[in-house]
Amino acid sequence: MTEIDANIDALVPAWLHLPDIAEMLDVEVTRVRQLVKEGQLIAVRRGENNALQVPAAFIQGDKVVKGLAGTLTLLRDDGFSDEEMLEWLFTEDPSLPGTPAQALGENRGTEVKRRAQALAV
């Protein structure tokens, strides 16, 4: 959980605070913190209060976006830092089309994971 670079911050269209995520998922804030600790979500410090925030694209309805945790694991295994993962997830990929984060939200996780695995080669 690091403070985010301005360029990467600008790539992410919207952010959510941990209490908001807890409310959306109908869990305690401690559970959201646990998801971050386990690597199922990425949280960074940003904003004027330097509060932990998660990209809004990672939450869909009352669930964490399907395929996100597996994709984050693949990227971590490839040696990506949290910032590098955010940059990759929110950078336009014409071959998808859209960003990997958008593709995950549209239930196209297989394609996203295939690209993440190819990064290791």
Side-chain angles (χ1 to χ4, degrees):
M1 293 176 275
T2 55
E3 203 167 313
I4 190 161
D5 174 87
N7 295 329
I8 295 170
D9 191 12
L11 288 174
V12 180
W15 295 88
L16 294 169
H17 292 88
L18 301 194
D20 298 330
I21 294 170
E23 192 174 308
M24 293 168 79
L25 302 179
D26 196 25
V27 297
E28 297 292 324
V29 174
T30 52
R31 178 64 186 131
V32 178
R33 289 184 184 282
Q34 188 65 32
L35 291 172
V36 172
K37 189 176 179 182
E38 292 170 355
Q40 295 182 45
L41 287 174
I42 297 174
V44 295
R45 296 208 174 270
R46 61 181 298 278
E48 62 184 55
N49 295 334
N50 212 21
L52 280 176
Q53 296 181 42
V54 171
F58 291 175
I59 307 299
Q60 199 167 48
D62 61 353
K63 293 182 172 54
V64 174
V65 168
K66 183 180 175 190
L68 177 65
T71 302
L72 295 179
T73 299
L74 283 170
L75 293 172
R76 258 190 208 93
D77 289 350
D78 292 345
F80 278 56
S81 68
D82 284 359
E83 280 200 344
E84 289 168 333
M85 286 190 271
L86 287 173
E87 183 175 19
W88 184 79
L89 284 163
F90 288 95
T91 297
E92 193 79 24
D93 181 343
S95 68
L96 268 172
T99 67
Q102 286 171 323
L104 284 172
E106 294 166 0
N107 205 18
R108 294 186 288 139
T110 304
E111 279 304 307
V112 174
K113 286 180 187 166
R114 196 171 289 140
R115 284 166 176 73
Q117 287 172 325
L119 297 171
V121 177

